[in-house]
């Protein structure tokens, strides 16, 4: 029932309102500006706490988030024992939102209240709010007005990390075709052959288009540094070093990771289409980018592909505080007739390391669950990653198990190495990473041509049926990527100004 006009709230709760590490952003997905960078505030029963915002826009965004009209990026919102998720939290039951001028109409039995005072006129009073608190309610007043905030029992300052308007001006939006040309030209200027430069550009821009800026053009300044320092040999050609039936090993010779990876994907897909199954191990390689970037080879030949990648140490085991394992990656590509392929692509860390570095480029904090500092303490400062910090492995010991499986397949078998032996590309720009990958492909024909599309659709439906309440906006792999690609092809992608400046591109603000 509606909590206004004398009706009773359907979800009363006691124990106060608790907001922890709440991160709120504005703007299109993938190009947001953080406006609330980790708010923690608590209102106990009988207490009025003002959340004093720097602007009315920030106040409006915060109210929308607390009321459930806007999805937060991260945080914890709880009312008594009712708790939302930390990742993309939703408003828990029992939390009622009301505009300041309608507080008098609120059911006095409500016990957890957010008061929207963001647009309250000058001279507005919170006296009726204190009446509610006197009856035992916990109240958060969201306002940008100093006098209203001062009238609360306590104030909590809501400090934005950066000015979102300034951030929007700083980061230019570039069309995908233009961005590809810029990346290609930059690499060609470093002595990379045009076709090879175009391949690397395609892989980087594809990641940006899919919303994975961690693996996109933000890597290009590092690639340039590594070419100049000798860590990437721009003219190296991969060499086949062994072949036993449908199992082959390719040595990347310390060249561009994308060159060897593209050759491996093409070869394994072609071989599997003929022989039913095939595997290609790649060793002596450098960073290959987003694994899903090699999906076209599998879909073109109608084979199911698996890719495993071993990288340098940046991930800590469950409960550990030191990075001793790679943020390894796994990707599955299943072609679907007449449709986009079914793709599952993830890192074994709770997040890809590049996403943390992308946040640093954009001047944004990261959720504390993404990163621990050199002492093993959770931190929201993305710069701590390269100051001895570590990304926790996902999924506890089960995630560690997936990481170790990847190490054996892509490290031990494919590369005769393991992630602790892989050179870190930023810390050692003059040395090839010597990372490795395993590419495996399966022909559906060899398995009796099962109805892959039909069964994958049934799997998707099974996932949906499992939700008893509201279906999350993103509940299946590729939903986020599909939406990001549509936006990117229509609008272009926002490239961090720091990256543009490093590369010396003459690109204006949007």
């Amino acid at each position: 029932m509606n909590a206004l006009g004398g009706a009773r709230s359907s979800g009363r709760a006691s124990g106060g309102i608790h907001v922890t590490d709440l991160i709120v952003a504005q703007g299109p997905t993938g190009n947001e500006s953080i406006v609330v960078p980790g708010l923690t505030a608590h209102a106990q029963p009988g207490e009025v706490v003002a959340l004093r915002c720097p602007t009315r826009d920030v106040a409006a965004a915060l109210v929308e988030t607390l009321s459930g009209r806007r999805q937060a990026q991260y945080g914890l919102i709880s009312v008594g024992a009712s708790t939302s998720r930390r990742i993309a939290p939703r408003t828990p039951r029992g939390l009622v939102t009301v505009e300041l001028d309608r507080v008098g109409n609120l059911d006095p039995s409500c016990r957890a209240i957010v008061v929207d005072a963001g647009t309250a006129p000058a001279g507005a009073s919170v006296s009726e709010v204190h009446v509610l608190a006197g009856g035992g309610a916990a109240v958060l007043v969201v306002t940008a007005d100093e006098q209203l905030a001062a009238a609360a029992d306590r104030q909590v300052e809501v400090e934005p990390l950066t000015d979102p308007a300034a951030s929007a001006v700083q980061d230019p939006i570039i069309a995908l075709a233009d961005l590809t040309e810029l990346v290609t030209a930059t690499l060609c200027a470093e002595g990379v052959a045009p076709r090879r430069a175009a391949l690397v550009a395609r892989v980087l821009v594809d990641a940006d288009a899919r919303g994975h800026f961690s693996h996109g053009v933000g890597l290009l300044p590092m690639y340039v540094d590594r070419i100049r320092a000798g860590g990437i040999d721009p003219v190296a050609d991969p060499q086949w070093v062994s072949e036993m039936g449908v199992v082959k090993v390719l040595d990347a010779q310390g060249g561009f990771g994308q060159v060897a990876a593209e050759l491996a994907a093409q070869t394994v897909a072609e071989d599997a289409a003929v022989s039913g199954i095939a595997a290609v191990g790649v060793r002596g390689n450098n960073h290959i980018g987003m694994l899903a970037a090699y999906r076209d080879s599998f879909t073109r030949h109608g084979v199911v592909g698996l890719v495993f990648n071993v990288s340098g140490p940046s991930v800590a085991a469950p409960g550990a505080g030191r990075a001793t394992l790679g943020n390894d990656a796994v990707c599955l590509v299943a072609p679907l007739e007449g449709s986009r392929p079914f793709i599952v692509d993830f890192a074994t860390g709770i997040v890809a390391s590049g996403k943390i570095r992308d946040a640093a480029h954009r001047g944004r904090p990261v959720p504390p669950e993404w990163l621990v500092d050199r002492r093993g303490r959770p931190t929201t400062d993305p710069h701590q990653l390269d100051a001895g910090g570590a990304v926790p492995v996902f999924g506890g010991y089960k995630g560690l198990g997936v990481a170790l499986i990847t190490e054996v397949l892509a490290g031990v078998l494919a590369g005769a190495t393991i992630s602790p032996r892989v050179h870190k590309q930023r810390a050692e720009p003059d040395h090839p990473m010597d990372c490795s990958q395993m590419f495996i492909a399966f022909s559906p024909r060899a398995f009796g041509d099962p109805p892959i599309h039909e069964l994958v659709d049934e799997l998707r439906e099974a996932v949906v049926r499992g939700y008893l309440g509201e279906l999350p906006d993103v509940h299946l792999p590729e939903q986020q990527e599909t939406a990001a690609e549509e936006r990117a092809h229509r609008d272009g992608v926002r490239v961090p100004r720091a990256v543009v400046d490093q590369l010396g591109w003459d690109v204006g603000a949007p």
Side-chain angles (χ1 to χ4, degrees):
M1 298 176 66
N2 195 324
L4 296 176
R8 292 185 177 271
S9 170
S10 60
R12 303 188 198 101
S14 60
I17 308 170
H18 307 282
V19 178
T20 308
D21 297 329
L22 188 67
I23 296 177
V24 178
Q26 286 180 318
T29 302
N31 292 320
E32 307 96 330
S33 295
I34 298 292
V35 293
V36 178
L39 170 67
T40 294
H42 309 284
Q44 300 299 333
E47 185 179 33
V48 177
V49 176
L51 304 182
R52 183 180 165 191
C53 301
T55 67
R56 288 190 172 190
D57 285 344
V58 173
L62 182 54
V63 168
E64 288 180 357
T65 302
L66 293 173
S67 66
R69 299 194 301 272
R70 174 193 297 269
Q71 191 174 63
Q73 290 199 332
Y74 183 85
L76 186 72
I77 306 171
S78 62
V79 174
S82 174
T83 305
S84 78
R85 300 171 296 166
R86 279 191 179 273
I87 302 298
R90 297 184 183 276
T91 301
R93 291 184 178 181
L95 187 60
V96 176
T97 303
V98 61
E99 294 179 359
L100 179 61
D101 60 0
R102 301 188 70 189
V103 166
N105 297 330
L106 196 64
D107 183 344
S109 67
C110 293
R111 288 293 176 263
I113 304 164
V114 173
V115 176
D116 177 5
T119 58
S125 170
V126 293
S127 58
E128 290 183 317
V129 175
H130 281 285
V131 171
L132 289 172
V139 184
L140 292 176
V141 177
V142 183
T143 182
D145 185 276
E146 292 184 18
Q147 291 184 335
L148 280 176
D153 297 322
R154 287 191 297 113
Q155 294 186 48
V156 175
E157 295 284 341
V158 179
E159 294 288 348
L161 183 72
T162 57
D163 177 1
S167 174
V169 170
Q170 290 173 354
D171 294 344
I173 297 174
I174 306 176
L176 295 183
D178 294 339
L179 186 57
T180 302
E181 287 184 11
L182 284 167
V183 175
T184 302
T186 298
L187 291 170
C188 286
E190 299 297 326
V192 183
R195 287 186 62 184
R196 187 163 292 186
L199 167 61
V200 176
R202 188 206 81 201
V203 173
L204 295 181
V205 174
D206 182 51
D208 281 330
R210 288 167 62 81
H212 293 287
F213 303 103
S214 56
H215 288 66
V217 174
L219 296 171
L220 187 56
M222 180 192 66
Y223 281 11
V224 170
D225 288 344
R226 287 179 55 75
I227 292 171
R228 294 174 180 175
I232 296 176
D233 183 349
V235 299
D237 291 318
Q239 302 293 323
W240 295 105
V241 294
S242 73
E243 180 176 345
M244 182 180 290
V246 293
V247 178
K248 299 176 180 178
V249 177
L250 182 66
D251 191 321
Q253 302 287 309
F256 270 108
Q258 290 85 351
V259 174
E262 181 78 354
L263 177 57
Q266 290 175 355
T267 301
V268 78
E270 291 170 0
D271 288 353
V274 174
S275 302
I277 188 170
V280 172
V282 182
R283 59 184 54 175
N285 209 4
N286 279 305
H287 189 262
I288 71 171
M290 180 182 64
L291 302 191
Y294 306 97
R295 60 193 179 275
D296 287 351
S297 291
F298 300 115
T299 58
R300 185 166 54 249
H301 292 281
V303 298
V304 175
L306 268 176
V307 185
F308 299 88
N309 177 75
V310 165
S311 61
S314 62
V315 167
R322 181 177 297 174
T324 56
L325 298 171
N327 202 344
D328 302 334
V330 179
C331 178
L332 175 136
V333 179
L336 303 179
E337 188 71 31
S339 180
R340 293 171 60 95
F342 180 70
I343 299 175
V344 180
D345 186 355
F346 63 94
T348 52
I350 196 168
V351 67
S353 305
K355 291 188 185 299
I356 297 174
R357 293 191 177 96
D358 181 66
H361 276 312
R362 299 174 190 271
R364 300 174 179 175
V366 296
E369 290 183 355
W370 282 15
L371 184 63
V372 295
D373 64 18
R374 61 192 305 171
R375 296 182 180 178
R377 301 171 301 187
T379 177
T380 61
D381 179 4
H383 299 284
Q384 292 299 316
L385 178 63
D386 292 319
V391 178
V393 71
F394 86 93
Y397 287 98
K398 292 184 179 180
L400 177 61
V402 174
L404 295 177
I405 290 170
T406 304
E407 291 280 345
V408 172
L409 290 174
V412 175
L413 287 180
T417 190
I418 52 176
S419 61
R421 296 186 178 187
V422 173
H423 297 278
K424 301 191 76 169
Q425 54 185 347
R426 284 176 173 79
E428 301 173 88
D430 58 342
H431 202 295
M433 289 180 68
D434 282 332
C435 62
S436 55
Q437 297 83 35
M438 177 70 85
F439 290 76
I440 307 173
F442 310 84
S443 170
R445 289 191 298 108
F447 296 87
D449 266 331
I452 295 178
H453 201 156
E454 175 186 333
L455 293 173
V456 167
D457 283 347
E458 191 172 331
L459 273 176
R460 289 169 169 159
E461 292 169 4
V463 171
V464 171
R465 288 199 308 272
Y467 289 92
L468 301 179
E470 183 180 359
L471 191 66
D473 294 334
V474 178
H475 54 274
L476 285 168
E478 283 296 285
Q479 287 182 319
Q480 196 163 278
E481 288 79 2
T482 299
E485 279 190 71
E486 291 173 355
R487 286 192 303 271
H489 283 282
R490 182 184 66 242
D491 304 328
V493 295
R494 192 181 295 277
V495 180
R497 171 56 64 182
V499 173
V500 170
D501 290 345
Q502 280 181 280
L503 295 169
W505 290 348
D506 184 15
V507 178

